[in-house]
Amino acid sequence: LLEAVPDQNLSLRYKLTDIVGGSGGSTSTNTMNLTPANTTLDDQTLSVSITPSITGFDGALSYSVTEGGDSNIGAYLDYSINTTTGVLTITRTNAPSSLKTYTFTILEENTLQDATAQVSLLASGITQ
């Protein structure tokens, strides 16, 4: 503006503001981590719970999961996710004849943040 405007509603139509994470803040300020990010299942360790944590967001959370790796995943693993807490529970149902590795990507649908965990399956009789 080149001259003073006494009415503040006319001076700036689109005011500049700082973006603060959480409660409607920018998704770029959010980060997601998984604990544990890598794990191995064998004859002694048959299941694992993978827990996500999101920093910079305090709104409602909704999670989903996708898996990658061998298309025969159902022959060796059973898994489920709690869509509210994001806890992914993976249970080994069968031992493979050789090492198998699977990836699980957990997505938080409101922040569009995701993280990937890797789960390795050892053959029967082999332990870490």
Side-chain angles (χ1 to χ4, degrees):
L1 297 174
L2 299 175
E3 61 185 71
V5 178
D7 184 358
Q8 73 175 2
N9 294 325
L10 298 176
S11 65
L12 278 176
R13 181 169 284 173
Y14 302 102
K15 297 177 171 78
L16 299 175
T17 60
D18 290 335
I19 295 174
V20 178
S23 298
S26 169
T27 57
S28 64
T29 61
N30 305 318
T31 57
M32 181 181 202
N33 294 311
L34 299 179
T35 305
N38 295 304
T39 191
T40 301
L41 299 179
D42 57 21
D43 290 341
Q44 296 172 347
T45 307
L46 298 176
S47 66
V48 64
S49 292
I50 299 172
T51 306
S53 61
I54 293 184
T55 58
F57 186 78
D58 59 2
L61 300 172
S62 178
Y63 295 92
S64 63
V65 64
T66 57
E67 79 280 339
D70 186 348
S71 61
N72 203 12
I73 190 170
Y76 305 109
L77 295 175
D78 184 27
Y79 65 93
S80 64
I81 189 166
N82 181 319
T83 57
T84 304
T85 64
V87 174
L88 174 64
T89 304
I90 302 170
T91 304
R92 186 182 95 166
T93 56
N94 241 338
S97 58
S98 62
L99 176 68
K100 299 277 186 188
T101 302
Y102 298 96
T103 58
F104 292 87
T105 302
I106 298 176
L107 169 69
E108 200 295 308
E109 296 171 359
N110 295 321
T111 63
L112 299 179
Q113 295 296 307
D114 66 358
T116 300
Q118 182 175 320
V119 177
S120 299
L121 297 176
L122 298 180
S124 185
I126 301 173
T127 58
Q128 298 184 53

mmCIF file of all heavy atoms in Angstrom, residues 19-26 57-59:
data_model
loop_
_atom_site.group_PDB
_atom_site.id
_atom_site.type_symbol
_atom_site.label_atom_id
_atom_site.label_comp_id
_atom_site.label_asym_id
_atom_site.label_seq_id
_atom_site.Cartn_x
_atom_site.Cartn_y
_atom_site.Cartn_z
ATOM 1 N N ILE A 19 3.248 -21.067 10.627
ATOM 2 C CA ILE A 19 2.633 -22.388 10.630
ATOM 3 C C ILE A 19 3.173 -23.148 11.823
ATOM 4 O O ILE A 19 4.371 -23.278 12.004
ATOM 5 C CB ILE A 19 2.942 -23.150 9.330
ATOM 6 C CG1 ILE A 19 2.291 -22.431 8.154
ATOM 7 C CG2 ILE A 19 2.450 -24.583 9.417
ATOM 8 C CD1 ILE A 19 2.648 -23.031 6.819
ATOM 9 N N VAL A 20 2.259 -23.648 12.647
ATOM 10 C CA VAL A 20 2.631 -24.406 13.832
ATOM 11 C C VAL A 20 2.081 -25.811 13.664
ATOM 12 O O VAL A 20 0.929 -25.988 13.276
ATOM 13 C CB VAL A 20 2.067 -23.757 15.108
ATOM 14 C CG1 VAL A 20 2.418 -24.585 16.321
ATOM 15 C CG2 VAL A 20 2.578 -22.337 15.246
ATOM 16 N N GLY A 21 2.910 -26.830 13.936
ATOM 17 C CA GLY A 21 2.473 -28.221 13.789
ATOM 18 C C GLY A 21 1.340 -28.552 14.728
ATOM 19 O O GLY A 21 1.209 -27.989 15.804
ATOM 20 N N GLY A 22 0.497 -29.490 14.324
ATOM 21 C CA GLY A 22 -0.629 -29.916 15.137
ATOM 22 C C GLY A 22 -1.821 -28.996 14.955
ATOM 23 O O GLY A 22 -1.698 -27.840 14.592
ATOM 24 N N SER A 23 -2.996 -29.524 15.228
ATOM 25 C CA SER A 23 -4.246 -28.760 15.161
ATOM 26 C C SER A 23 -4.359 -27.955 13.872
ATOM 27 O O SER A 23 -4.562 -26.754 13.889
ATOM 28 C CB SER A 23 -4.385 -27.847 16.377
ATOM 29 O OG SER A 23 -4.446 -28.606 17.533
ATOM 30 N N GLY A 24 -4.192 -28.609 12.766
ATOM 31 C CA GLY A 24 -4.367 -27.929 11.494
ATOM 32 C C GLY A 24 -3.102 -27.313 10.944
ATOM 33 O O GLY A 24 -3.142 -26.578 9.971
ATOM 34 N N GLY A 25 -1.969 -27.557 11.557
ATOM 35 C CA GLY A 25 -0.702 -27.018 11.069
ATOM 36 C C GLY A 25 -0.263 -27.727 9.804
ATOM 37 O O GLY A 25 -0.924 -28.623 9.301
ATOM 38 N N SER A 26 0.858 -27.361 9.287
ATOM 39 C CA SER A 26 1.377 -27.939 8.062
ATOM 40 C C SER A 26 1.779 -29.396 8.274
ATOM 41 O O SER A 26 2.328 -29.750 9.303
ATOM 42 C CB SER A 26 2.593 -27.132 7.609
ATOM 43 O OG SER A 26 3.254 -27.800 6.576
ATOM 44 N N PHE A 57 1.860 -33.261 15.714
ATOM 45 C CA PHE A 57 0.436 -33.337 15.368
ATOM 46 C C PHE A 57 -0.335 -33.792 16.584
ATOM 47 O O PHE A 57 0.028 -34.784 17.211
ATOM 48 C CB PHE A 57 0.213 -34.316 14.206
ATOM 49 C CG PHE A 57 -1.212 -34.343 13.708
ATOM 50 C CD1 PHE A 57 -1.687 -33.335 12.881
ATOM 51 C CD2 PHE A 57 -2.072 -35.363 14.062
ATOM 52 C CE1 PHE A 57 -2.993 -33.354 12.422
ATOM 53 C CE2 PHE A 57 -3.369 -35.392 13.603
ATOM 54 C CZ PHE A 57 -3.848 -34.388 12.784
ATOM 55 N N ASP A 58 -1.396 -33.069 16.934
ATOM 56 C CA ASP A 58 -2.183 -33.458 18.101
ATOM 57 C C ASP A 58 -3.659 -33.671 17.753
ATOM 58 O O ASP A 58 -4.515 -33.664 18.610
ATOM 59 C CB ASP A 58 -2.037 -32.441 19.228
ATOM 60 C CG ASP A 58 -2.484 -31.041 18.825
ATOM 61 O OD1 ASP A 58 -2.945 -30.855 17.677
ATOM 62 O OD2 ASP A 58 -2.366 -30.131 19.658
ATOM 63 N N GLY A 59 -3.949 -33.881 16.468
ATOM 64 C CA GLY A 59 -5.316 -34.135 16.040
ATOM 65 C C GLY A 59 -5.656 -35.613 16.097
ATOM 66 O O GLY A 59 -4.907 -36.432 16.627
#
